[in-house]
Amino acid sequence: MATLVSFHAHPDDECIVAGGVMRKAFEEGHRVVLVVATRGEVGEVPDGFLDDGEELWQRRVQETHASAEVLGAKRVEFLGYTDSGMMGEPRNDVPGTFWQADVEEAAQRLAEILREEQADVLTVYDDNGGYGHPDHIQVHRVGMRAAELAGTPRVYEATSNSDEMRRGMEEAVRTGEMKAEDLPDFEEGGAEFGKPEAVLTARVDVHEYLPQKRAAMRAHASQISEDSFFLAMPDEGFARAFGVEWFIRAGQGPGITETDLMAGL
């Protein structure tokens, strides 16, 4: 049995970008640990969703534990920072937010968990945080440094395959599922979401675990409603969008040579 620690910025991030590999590791007998930098204080909910006197972060902590149970995580830890909001918002500058955290100090907090767990594998995000969110970028910075401090041997940067995304959207236009005018200008901004295929090193097929991945999303009801993009799409579309999880292994590649983050452990 090996140990996978999956590090994320906010509640619900875990099920979207790494839920498949977490459940896969659990099913194969490995220990799975979920670490979240913030409690997702900035999320929005409809009026009346929360109980009287209940704070959003309290509900999101409950939802994270429910999601972790579905994904097979046996330990959940929060690093204690607060949500920084989207890039460019005034909240970015508020003391105590993750974006304002001292990288070395935050890395020490995470490294302590990595040492306690004798982690074999750590997942973080790519250097742009997948799509430029400040807390996601900070996950990359803090996670990479924590792995150095703890001596964690394998570090994978969770990301998206921007080339695959482009091909999928163009195919959706050809089949009429998507309007041509809704197609992003990939030359101008597409590369900011995910990474090009040429720099990826791991492609993990998680189709087998899509029921759990979707159930984990459903556990985050305060942020992922039944009519959301994630839950409203038909099974076929969901499988196309979320059936493969992509990673860059630190110090390896380029070239996709891995299909299992826990191989050989």
Side-chain angles (χ1 to χ4, degrees):
M1 182 179 71
T3 298
L4 164 68
V5 176
S6 197
F7 180 38
H8 297 276
H10 316 100
D12 78 21
D13 290 334
E14 78 288 344
C15 54
I16 297 169
V17 299
V21 296
M22 291 173 67
R23 181 69 191 195
K24 182 176 187 293
F26 165 73
E27 292 280 358
E28 293 173 353
H30 300 295
R31 177 170 171 82
V32 179
V33 175
L34 172 62
V35 181
V36 190
T38 78
R39 294 182 171 88
E41 294 83 356
V42 180
E44 298 179 359
V45 293
D47 291 340
F49 185 91
L50 299 174
D51 297 331
D52 289 343
E54 183 184 23
E55 298 287 343
L56 175 59
W57 69 265
Q58 295 173 310
R59 179 65 65 92
R60 297 195 74 179
V61 166
Q62 294 176 6
E63 292 174 343
T64 302
H65 282 279
S67 170
E69 184 172 355
V70 171
L71 297 177
K74 298 305 181 184
R75 177 183 179 184
V76 178
E77 294 289 345
F78 293 88
L79 291 190
Y81 299 98
T82 57
D83 195 331
S84 308
M86 298 298 288
M87 186 68 82
E89 293 181 355
R91 189 175 175 84
N92 295 169
D93 301 322
V94 175
T97 57
F98 192 42
W99 186 237
Q100 289 297 316
D102 178 81
V103 170
E104 193 70 15
E105 188 272 341
Q108 290 285 1
R109 294 190 194 186
L110 178 58
E112 183 177 348
I113 297 170
L114 296 176
R115 293 189 194 101
E116 287 174 0
E117 293 290 342
Q118 296 182 306
D120 301 279
V121 179
L122 171 67
T123 71
V124 296
Y125 303 144
D126 67 42
D127 58 3
N128 189 45
Y131 63 99
H133 192 296
D135 287 336
H136 289 234
I137 294 171
Q138 196 76 317
V139 162
H140 174 83
R141 296 172 179 172
V142 169
M144 298 300 286
R145 178 58 179 150
E148 290 179 356
L149 293 170
T152 304
R154 291 190 194 180
V155 183
Y156 290 92
E157 303 171 31
T159 188
S160 301
N161 183 335
S162 58
D163 293 324
E164 180 73 15
M165 194 178 308
R166 176 177 185 165
R167 290 191 291 266
M169 289 184 178
E170 290 173 345
E171 175 63 21
V173 169
R174 283 193 293 272
T175 60
E177 298 176 65
M178 185 176 182
K179 296 179 180 178
E181 56 265 29
D182 293 334
L183 195 66
D185 187 337
F186 288 95
E187 299 305 321
E188 289 296 322
E192 294 178 4
F193 197 98
K195 293 290 183 179
E197 201 164 72
V199 305
L200 305 179
T201 68
R203 177 191 186 278
V204 185
D205 187 329
V206 296
H207 283 84
E208 183 178 350
Y209 311 104
L210 286 179
Q212 292 86 0
K213 189 168 180 174
R214 209 165 198 180
M217 292 180 183
R218 189 165 274 115
H220 289 283
S222 72
Q223 304 302 303
I224 306 177
S225 66
E226 287 297 326
D227 59 357
S228 68
F229 165 78
F230 300 102
L231 297 181
M233 68 171 67
D235 290 344
E236 182 180 342
F238 187 83
R240 186 165 60 241
F242 298 103
V244 172
E245 293 175 354
W246 304 90
F247 299 86
I248 302 168
R249 183 170 175 176
Q252 182 171 307
I256 298 173
T257 60
E258 293 184 279
T259 58
D260 182 358
L261 306 193
M262 311 300 288
L265 298 174

